[in-house]
């Protein structure tokens, strides 16, 4: 289903009277005939409710003002007390939550890509969008704030910002809405947000936290390199469009160490990683002169 149809459905749901909403949900059986299971039907109806509530907030009560910093974060002085929202928020890792895979008909899946391959784009899309809107809630953010958390990290894959590559099965759509929803509420509670690119085109570490297990085709591949820089540009645009863009930091790669070990941590592999860092920084600086950019050392320490 096109996400725009879901949004239109949510708008209709939001504008309908409670009686009409109840009647709409009462048609669950006919919807189930389309989806093929009551579980997917529930996921779709709950998704409409959640999206409808977002629109209700926008057209209902005046939104609470979100505190805005006057400048970008100075990481030399910032004392972080942070929480990683994990691979389960807008990027799936089976090791984090195997029950999500096992209970949704994809027990054989190893990662997000095979999850969508087994279920098909339509079914996995419904389940993932439901997950995006419910895995991390306002109540969770409130708990973080109560414990003095002032930083969140949100892992996200390249397919949130561009079409998936040929041969991949990731579902594209819904991640950025969920990310913005989480980040803006966290910012309203005085937190800073790190956008953490966990999956790069071709795969940078071979682990399931990049979306596709066993794939390390990012390295020394010109097409994947250029696709990554395109993705970095689009992610930067996404941050710049946030109403509080100065409350974000951008991490451009996650855990390249396993792939570096695969290559024996040669000077060439470190040179390639640094090439990506330099190209990423140059692309970001053309769009923002002040956005903090975070680089990973791949757990390898400083390299001379």
């Amino acid at each position: 289903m096109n996400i725009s149809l879901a949004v239109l459905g949510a708008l209709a749901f939001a504008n309908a009277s409670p009686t009409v909403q109840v009647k709409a949900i009462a048609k669950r059986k006919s919807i189930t005939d389309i989806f093929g299971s009551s579980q997917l039907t529930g996921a779709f109806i709950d998704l409409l409710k959640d999206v409808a509530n977002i629109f209700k907030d926008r057209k209902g009560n005046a939104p609470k003002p979100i505190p805005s910093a006057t400048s970008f974060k100075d990481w030399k002085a910032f004392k972080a007390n942070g929480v990683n929202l994990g691979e389960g928020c807008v990027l799936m890792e089976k090791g984090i939550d195997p029950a999500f895979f096992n209970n949704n008909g994809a027990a054989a899946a190893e990662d997000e890509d095979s999850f969508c391959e087994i279920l098909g784009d339509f079914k996995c899309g419904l389940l993932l969008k439901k997950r995006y809107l419910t895995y991390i809630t306002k109540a969770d953010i409130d708990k973080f704030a109560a414990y003095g958390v002032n930083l969140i990290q949100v892992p996200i894959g390249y397919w949130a910002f561009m079409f998936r590559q040929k041969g991949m099965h990731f579902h594209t759509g819904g991640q950025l809405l969920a990310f913005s929803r989480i980040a803006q509420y966290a910012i309203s509670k005085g937190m800073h947000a790190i956008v953490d690119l966990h999956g790069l085109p071709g795969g940078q570490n071979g682990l399931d936290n990049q979306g596709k297990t066993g794939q390390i085709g990012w390295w020394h591949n010109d097409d994947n390199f250029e696709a990554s820089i395109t993705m970095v540009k689009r992610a930067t645009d996404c941050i710049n469009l946030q109403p509080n863009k100065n409350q974000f930091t951008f991490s451009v790669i996650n855990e390249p160490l396993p792939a570096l070990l695969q290559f024996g941590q040669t000077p060439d592999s470190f040179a390639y990683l640094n090439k990506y860092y330099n190209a990423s920084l140059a692309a970001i600086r053309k769009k923002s002169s002040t956005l903090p950019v975070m680089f990973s050392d791949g757990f390898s320490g400083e390299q001379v």
Side-chain angles (χ1 to χ4, degrees), residues 28 47 55 76 78 134 142 147 150 179 185 216 249 272 288:
R28 189 184 191 100
L47 173 64
F55 284 102
K76 293 180 180 179
F78 177 49
T134 58
D142 289 339
Y147 281 99
N150 62 1
F179 160 73
Y185 188 70
I216 53 171
T249 289
Y272 190 80
S288 172

Side-chain angles (χ1 to χ4, degrees), residues 4 35 66 82 96 98-99 102 135 160 196 207 224 233 245 255-257 266-267 270 280 292:
S4 62
F35 289 160
I66 297 176
I96 296 294
N102 299 337
Y135 182 69
D196 183 21
L207 303 176
N224 287 332
K233 293 175 181 177
K245 62 183 181 180
E255 296 181 0
L257 175 64
T266 66
F270 281 110
S280 295

Side-chain angles (χ1 to χ4, degrees), residues 176-197:
L176 297 184
L177 172 64
F179 160 73
S180 295
R181 176 174 169 266
I182 292 167
Q184 287 304 317
Y185 188 70
I187 289 170
S188 76
K189 296 296 181 179
M191 299 179 197
H192 187 78
I194 298 175
V195 181
D196 183 21
L197 292 180

Side-chain angles (χ1 to χ4, degrees), residues 176 179-180 183-184 237-246 248:
L176 297 184
F179 160 73
S180 295
Q184 287 304 317
D237 288 337
C238 177
I239 294 172
N240 282 337
L241 288 172
Q242 298 292 321
N244 296 80
K245 62 183 181 180
N246 50 2
F248 291 85

Side-chain angles (χ1 to χ4, degrees), residues 57 120 172 191 250 259 273 284 294:
D57 290 342
T172 299
M191 299 179 197
F250 188 9
L273 186 59
I284 293 167
M294 186 174 289

Side-chain angles (χ1 to χ4, degrees), residues 110-277:
E110 297 181 328
D111 43 48
E112 183 171 330
D113 182 79
S114 54
F115 177 83
C116 290
E117 181 180 14
I118 290 171
L119 296 180
D121 187 68
F122 179 67
K123 289 185 178 181
C124 89
L126 285 175
L127 292 169
L128 289 177
K129 289 185 178 74
K130 167 69 174 176
R131 172 84 172 198
Y132 299 155
L133 291 171
T134 58
Y135 182 69
I136 296 294
T137 66
K138 289 183 177 180
D140 294 321
I141 301 296
D142 289 339
K143 288 180 182 178
F144 299 158
Y147 281 99
V149 169
N150 62 1
L151 175 72
I152 60 168
Q153 176 174 297
V154 185
I156 195 165
Y158 78 85
W159 53 96
F161 302 100
M162 58 193 295
F163 290 117
R164 58 180 176 257
Q165 291 183 302
K166 184 178 180 180
M168 296 293 99
H169 308 90
F170 301 116
H171 178 79
T172 299
Q175 293 100 330
L176 297 184
L177 172 64
F179 160 73
S180 295
R181 176 174 169 266
I182 292 167
Q184 287 304 317
Y185 188 70
I187 289 170
S188 76
K189 296 296 181 179
M191 299 179 197
H192 187 78
I194 298 175
V195 181
D196 183 21
L197 292 180
H198 256 51
L200 296 184
Q204 81 278 9
N205 65 22
L207 303 176
D208 60 349
N209 62 30
Q210 66 172 8
K212 180 66 175 176
T213 305
Q215 188 184 56
I216 53 171
W218 177 79
W219 295 84
H220 305 288
N221 182 297
D222 291 341
D223 290 340
N224 287 332
F225 186 92
E226 291 304 318
S228 297
I229 299 304
T230 297
M231 180 265 305
V232 164
K233 293 175 181 177
R234 292 179 180 177
T236 305
D237 288 337
C238 177
I239 294 172
N240 282 337
L241 288 172
Q242 298 292 321
N244 296 80
K245 62 183 181 180
N246 50 2
Q247 298 281 30
F248 291 85
T249 289
F250 188 9
S251 174
V252 298
I253 196 171
N254 175 65
E255 296 181 0
L257 175 64
L260 286 178
L261 290 175
Q262 183 84 8
F263 294 118
Q265 291 186 316
T266 66
D268 285 346
S269 58
F270 281 110
Y272 190 80
L273 186 59
N274 285 329
K275 175 185 174 183
Y276 171 66
Y277 287 157

